Amino acid sequence: MKTERIKTDVLIIGGGTAGCYAALTISEHSDAKVLICEKAHIKRSGCLAAGVNALNAYIVEGRKPQDYVDYAKKDADEIVREDLLLTMSERLNSVTERLEQLGLVILKDENGKYVTRGNRNLKINGENIKPILAKAVKNLPNVTILNRVNITDYSVSDNRINGAFGIGIENDTFYIIEANAVIIATGGAAGLYKPNNPGFSRHKMWYPPFNTGAGYAMGIRAGAEMTTFEMRFIALRCKDTIAPTGTLAQGVGAKQINSLGEIYETKYGLTTSERVYGTVNENQEGRGPCYLRTEGITPEQDESLIKAYLNMAPSQTLKWIESGKNPSQQNVEIEGTEPYIVGGHTASGYWVDTNRATTIKGLYAAGDVAGGCPQKYVTGALAEGEIAAYSVMDFLKENHAGEIDNQTADEKIKEVEGFLTKNSNARFTTEQLEEAMQTVMDSYAGGIKTNYRFNEKQLEIADSKIEALQKLSEELYAKDFQELMYIYELRERLTVCRSVIAHLKARKETRWHSFAENLDYPEKDNENFLKYVNSRYENGKLNIIFRDLVEGGKVYEHHD
């Protein structure tokens, strides 16, 4: 194994939506040296890898940023950071226009105005949205990109970040990266729970299977304060294909119906979690399967749906073709996915101030890893990347880079070499432990198997079993750096699992049906739980912190 030391002004971990836009912003407004480390390849990485057909966060004509804040707040039943939502919403339109300048095709009407889809969405031709962003960053003179480099840990001393450690998956290199400031933009966590489709189809899920919660795990281990991991996200999707349902609901106005043909969505509510909960409940009470009603739509709508899904979820279009029936001839069966932890849709992630600074000095968070600001989607991640970038530029003016001492680096090298030199007759493989983890979470921490429901005893069992798997993971062996990456991905997921379990247990109420369905506390409790459930890992233990709500667009600064 080779080792390489690198110095940079700014390290951006994750070359997805937020990471790319942060690099673009810093490069255009300063001469700071920026290094992006991307586990995959920046051209097709992150949630935009396969493209999207709409921008779901935009302030349409006649609306204002506060309207978007109010929408997100209602959807999350008030557990949001209004300062974060407002500062994000104020930038949604400007980052959209910048995307168009970079080459994104946004559909327009005969008057040259953007074609809207609902109150907050724009239609786009977004198959190449990620290559457009990647190309813009690649051409920047003061930005260096390291593809296929997996960052595994921060270097933090006295609560000040000095940089990070990583492995070069294709060049067998251990990287010691010293940085004045770090932006974490790695995305959320998939693969914690057993997915809808097992075996060789387990990658067919709502959120990218390569997003392992790495940024969360590094922050947890380093003692950063985290927030709202109990607000899991469960997507309502087309059955089997796990294709999006929003295009059906918003694009052709398809209603949720049960097997009796009854519209049930209004009975349970229209928030994101209520749509899932209603579907689960209708099935449980014997009125399933559930569908989105597309029978009777026009031939033009048929064609638009077939094209739209061919662009973003081809398996759904293929399913229609194979059945010999268009959407107008058959309703689309729907189901919930396994739970995910993702700050772009819910409020899970780092506890940040208004400037997106975490509680570790010099570390900033943007996109799916930044908590408190749900319903970001693509444009919100861009906006947070921009906010974090400006904050970092201010930070650089007054702070000088720390150093990673040799002893700290040697300890990390020893850890990595340990996985590469252990006896190959290890009792378990990484894949076996990952499957065991997903089974535990599915059975005891509110997965699909239990209709997303859990009680305190089950959570205690889950935590005990996940802790045991963590210990077993120390014995794993890697034949090469690709397998080494799989070990670290598993360990990241296990760390996040324990945090999720602790947060689910701490919120002794049911505020979001299905997302956090606590059978011991089935009712909402505003008196005790109209607050954030935060946590911090200290002295080998995850401590829960309850914080009062930050209301209004006022600036929030960290305090004990």
Side-chain angles (χ1 to χ4, degrees), residues 37-42 146-150 167-171 175 482 485:
C37 288
E38 166 56 53
K39 181 170 71 172
H41 192 288
I42 194 170
L146 289 180
N147 290 308
R148 300 290 284 154
V149 171
N150 184 34
I167 53 171
I169 300 159
E170 292 178 344
N171 61 6
Y175 287 96
Q482 184 73 21
M485 181 189 73

Side-chain angles (χ1 to χ4, degrees), residues 225 351 359 536 547-548 550 556-560:
E225 188 169 337
W351 182 247
T359 54
R536 185 180 287 147
R547 293 203 181 274
D548 293 332
V550 178
Y556 172 82
E557 296 178 347
H558 289 308
H559 55 87
D560 293 331

Side-chain angles (χ1 to χ4, degrees), residues 81-320:
R81 284 273 302 280
E82 292 185 44
D83 61 312
L84 301 180
L85 279 166
L86 184 60
T87 50
M88 176 200 77
S89 300
E90 289 170 342
R91 295 173 183 263
L92 292 175
N93 290 21
S94 62
V95 297
T96 299
E97 289 165 16
R98 185 67 208 280
L99 269 182
E100 188 178 26
Q101 292 167 7
L102 292 174
L104 180 68
V105 177
I106 304 179
L107 305 188
K108 294 180 179 177
D109 61 20
E110 61 276 8
N111 299 315
K113 292 186 177 181
Y114 292 148
V115 176
T116 60
R117 191 184 77 172
N119 293 327
R120 297 171 291 273
N121 305 15
L122 294 181
K123 289 186 176 182
I124 65 170
N125 288 341
E127 186 279 334
N128 63 343
I129 186 171
K130 189 65 208 300
I132 286 171
L133 270 172
K135 182 180 178 182
V137 173
K138 187 180 177 182
N139 293 333
L140 299 172
N142 55 337
V143 175
T144 302
I145 301 166
L146 289 180
N147 290 308
R148 300 290 284 154
V149 171
N150 184 34
I151 300 298
T152 60
D153 254 311
Y154 298 137
S155 173
V156 177
S157 55
D158 297 326
N159 203 46
R160 166 70 159 95
I161 197 158
N162 304 311
F165 304 101
I167 53 171
I169 300 159
E170 292 178 344
N171 61 6
D172 296 358
T173 299
F174 182 82
Y175 287 96
I176 304 159
I177 303 169
E178 293 177 330
N180 192 342
V182 176
I183 297 176
I184 182 70
T186 49
L192 307 181
Y193 288 80
K194 186 178 288 187
N196 295 80
N197 300 302
F200 67 89
S201 295
R202 64 186 184 274
H203 65 282
K204 191 180 283 295
M205 54 174 59
W206 169 76
Y207 197 62
F210 318 104
N211 283 7
T212 62
Y216 296 145
M218 288 190 287
I220 292 165
R221 289 194 298 268
E225 188 169 337
M226 314 299 281
T227 189
T228 324
F229 274 41
E230 76 280 8
M231 191 192 287
R232 309 175 302 170
F233 184 74
I234 300 159
L236 189 66
R237 305 294 268 185
C238 302
K239 191 174 187 304
D240 299 326
T241 63
I242 315 299
T245 55
T247 301
L248 294 164
Q250 295 184 25
V252 298
K255 300 292 185 184
Q256 290 176 227
I257 61 169
N258 59 26
S259 60
L260 304 176
E262 300 166 336
I263 296 173
Y264 65 84
E265 60 183 39
T266 48
K267 183 164 72 173
Y268 297 94
L270 296 173
T271 68
T272 310
S273 65
E274 287 166 345
R275 285 179 178 275
V276 176
Y277 175 67
T279 304
V280 170
N281 223 45
E282 289 296 300
N283 277 298
Q284 271 203 308
E285 294 182 3
R287 293 185 292 276
C290 294
Y291 304 88
L292 278 169
R293 187 170 61 197
T294 55
E295 288 182 3
I297 63 173
T298 66
E300 291 77 19
Q301 288 175 315
D302 258 343
E303 187 177 353
S304 77
L305 286 179
I306 288 168
K307 284 182 177 178
Y309 280 98
L310 191 61
N311 188 39
M312 63 176 173
S315 55
Q316 184 60 36
T317 297
L318 290 172
K319 190 174 181 180
W320 282 321

